[in-house]
Amino acid sequence: LAKHQIKLLERDELAVLGQPSEGPEAKSGILFRLQQDLPRILDSHRSDLVRQNDLLRHYNHQKIELEQEIHNLKNRKLTYPANTNKLKAAIEQEFLNRGIHSEPRILSDLLEITDPAWQNPVEGYLHTQRFYIIVEPQYYQISLDVYNRIKKDVHTVGLVNTNRDQFREPIEPRQDSLAYVVTSDNRWALAYVHYLLDRVVRCTSVDHLKDHKVAITADCMLYQNHAVRKIDDAVYRTPFIGAHAYEVQLSERLATLA
């Protein structure tokens, strides 16, 4: 109440109101002040109640979302960025309408990392490219038409042109490259991720980064365009690639809910 400059009754004022011998003028003054303060007291109470209700709704909404994510993770489903989900769903619907029995996939869901020491660099270097959509080459044009049709509502997510000859067969990655530690059972996903990562050399020391055009260390120091930078931990803190991603994300969500 003090923040609203509302003064409660002092002990002597209570005494005045409780004494029959006190004059009406003193009591009237005290009661008049209380009457003036009452609307502000009620407004303060209502404002606090509204804020508490808003916070409660926010927390309940977060709890519901968290429980849904946990349910999805237990069923081997990750939560992807909204634009990725929208594009994937729109392509799925178009395939269904055309009777096409093929599934658009999210790149990260098709990959595995063979060396855990390089999980963070792969996640960090790919960043948003992890959430690109992969379709079979014969359905790329149909998928592109869908994307073009909904481009006012969906943006940022990439649709990989699997029709390119260079993506029809995976290359043999260099043994010192970041591509060497990434594998996939999907030929187009493997070809694309090898195309992205074969240029990136794995270095054991930050001092060796400058010896290459593009290079990275296991702790995510990246050298590119003649400059070195540390990839933000927030980019790779939550993994999305491989079975490891499900385990880590489920553990994180359960700890948050606890």
Side-chain angles (χ1 to χ4, degrees):
L1 294 178
K3 66 181 177 181
H4 298 285
Q5 297 181 330
I6 297 171
K7 182 181 178 184
L8 294 174
L9 286 176
E10 302 288 352
R11 184 174 297 178
D12 56 349
E13 290 177 319
L14 284 171
V16 169
L17 292 175
Q19 288 293 333
S21 59
E22 292 290 345
E25 289 184 2
K27 293 181 178 181
S28 295
I30 295 170
L31 292 173
F32 178 77
R33 183 175 64 75
L34 284 174
Q35 188 177 28
Q36 294 297 108
D37 285 344
L38 186 59
R40 280 189 290 166
I41 294 173
L42 293 175
D43 285 343
S44 172
H45 175 71
R46 279 193 289 265
S47 296
D48 288 343
L49 190 61
V50 168
R51 281 192 294 271
Q52 290 170 6
N53 286 336
D54 286 344
L55 283 172
L56 185 60
R57 279 193 294 269
H58 175 69
Y59 291 142
N60 283 338
H61 179 69
Q62 283 189 322
K63 183 173 181 289
I64 291 170
E65 285 189 339
L66 192 57
E67 288 173 340
Q68 182 60 52
E69 287 182 15
I70 289 171
H71 174 77
N72 289 342
L73 286 167
K74 287 180 176 178
N75 287 281
R76 310 293 287 178
K77 289 176 62 179
L78 296 174
T79 300
Y80 295 102
N83 283 303
T84 295
N85 291 331
K86 288 177 183 177
L87 179 58
K88 183 173 181 288
I91 294 172
E92 285 173 339
Q93 186 59 52
E94 184 69 20
F95 284 5
L96 182 63
N97 294 343
R98 291 172 176 254
I100 295 172
H101 301 291
S102 181
E103 182 185 1
R105 302 291 301 275
I106 297 169
L107 180 61
S108 63
D109 202 34
L110 296 169
L111 307 178
E112 286 287 346
I113 296 173
T114 58
D115 187 344
W118 294 94
Q119 178 91 30
N120 289 346
V122 172
E123 300 264 5
Y125 185 82
L126 288 177
H127 197 190
T128 57
Q129 293 174 117
R130 292 173 293 179
F131 311 125
Y132 282 8
I133 301 296
I134 298 283
V135 295
E136 292 182 82
Q138 63 268 36
Y139 304 126
Y140 169 74
Q141 186 59 49
I142 293 173
S143 303
L144 177 60
D145 292 341
V146 171
Y147 199 172
N148 190 51
R149 190 167 66 240
I150 63 174
K151 61 189 175 187
K152 289 185 178 180
D153 301 314
V154 178
H155 53 80
T156 309
V157 56
L159 173 65
V160 178
N161 181 7
T162 48
N163 243 336
R164 290 184 63 87
D165 289 340
Q166 69 192 100
F167 298 148
R168 291 192 178 276
E169 290 294 338
I171 61 171
E172 187 64 35
R174 296 179 301 163
Q175 291 190 8
D176 64 349
S177 73
L178 206 52
Y180 189 75
V181 298
V182 182
T183 187
S184 176
D185 291 332
N186 183 291
R187 58 189 290 192
W188 299 289
L190 186 61
Y192 185 63
V193 80
H194 279 181
Y195 161 77
L196 293 176
L197 300 181
D198 194 52
R199 72 191 81 171
V200 187
V201 176
R202 290 178 290 132
C203 289
T204 56
S205 169
V206 70
D207 296 327
H208 299 155
L209 291 173
K210 64 182 183 298
D211 300 332
H212 310 279
K213 285 187 177 181
V214 185
I216 197 168
T217 61
D219 58 355
C220 295
M221 291 292 285
L222 174 66
Y223 185 82
Q224 193 170 31
N225 298 324
H226 306 292
V228 64
R229 65 181 174 88
K230 171 65 170 64
I231 298 175
D232 188 351
D233 292 6
V235 173
Y236 56 80
R237 184 179 298 119
T238 299
F240 282 88
I241 296 175
H244 170 74
Y246 293 96
E247 297 166 7
V248 173
Q249 288 204 29
L250 181 57
S251 177
E252 288 177 349
R253 300 304 190 277
L254 288 172
T256 303
L257 188 62

